[in-house]
Amino acid sequence: MAVISFYSYKGGSGRTTTTLNTLYYLIQEKQPKSNSPLIIVDADNESYGMSMLIRDTEKYCSPEVSLQGLGVRSNQSTFISNGNPRDWRTYTELNKYFIPVGNYFTKDIENEAVLLLRSDVTPAEQRSSWETVFAMNSSGEKESKNLSAALRVMKMCGCTVVFDTPSGTQDMATFSLDNSDYIVCCMRPSVQFEKGTRLCFSKFIEKWTKTGDEKNVVFCPSAVPFREMVIDSKVYPKHYVDTLFASFREQMEAKAHDSRGAVNIIWDMKDGAVPGIPEVDRFKWQECCLGKFPAEKEDEKLAKEKYKKLASILNY
């Protein structure tokens, strides 16, 4: 069982693109089966990019077949197995909310071995508020526990769960981070992202230190220019590595040290010819699952190598 969150403190980091492209290689490494699938949760109810990028979901346009539908419509019977409770396929009522998308990534596995819990632009029932759908951790009578119950079933069945989270501290971001073993933090190489991510994760690490939750955090620079760029006589991305990221790493290491072993930080994605995942020209006009296409350009070849490396880190 593994729960992984792809996260950024603010939008515009390329988080969903990173998630989609890493999934291509993670699925190959995990080789999931329909009785214990890899489950993708599009948790970003405001942008829901994953639901749009995976084209196979177009025929599943009903708002009920969604994270919102699960949050609003499911009841206690939804989470009851009609057979082996460790076999995902036996939860027939729960499965109605998930879309099989395995063949979108590869024809080498069962379509039902990879499932998407898509997000929808509106709540499944118009009278239901967002608070009803997404309030999962409090104890009020009106608050839904459905997504927490679904996650317990996933864990029981040994599923790999991948959250494409919203940014910041929205409810679903908090929920996914609290329940994740591995957190991939996507951050563009800029002063804004470096400072904002540092402040955000300083608070997170303080929280996890108090709760004792063990977290593995992969800081992953994303959309990094890999061609030589000179700005104010400074060469990027060398300046980014030597100054911005060096300072960021020093402070995050100090915070992790103070967590008394609760937080382990992984810096492997910073290493190599490009400090992180290189910017891909194709994605400016056509976001896609890059692994499904032959890589002809240098930026695409480098990006594929990095996505594969990230998948290897997450296949623990």
Side-chain angles (χ1 to χ4, degrees), residues 43 58 73 79 93 96 120 127 170 186 197 222-223 247 256 312:
E58 291 178 357
R73 289 181 174 270
F79 311 103
E93 292 302 312
K96 293 178 180 179
D120 191 74
R127 66 175 182 273
Q170 299 177 53
C186 299
T197 303
S222 49
S247 173
S312 180

Side-chain angles (χ1 to χ4, degrees), residues 45 48 63 66 68-69 119-126 128 130:
N45 60 288
Y48 54 97
S66 66
Q68 290 83 356
S119 194
D120 191 74
V121 67
T122 57
E125 295 178 352
Q126 290 299 317
S128 301
W130 289 112

Side-chain angles (χ1 to χ4, degrees), residues 30 33 35 70 72 116 118 202 220 231 233 273 276 302 308:
K30 292 285 188 183
K33 305 294 183 183
N35 64 332
L70 177 63
V72 172
L116 172 66
R118 64 181 285 273
S202 293
C220 181
I231 303 174
S233 75
L302 286 170
K308 190 172 184 178

Side-chain angles (χ1 to χ4, degrees), residues 65 100 285 291:
V65 184
W285 304 103

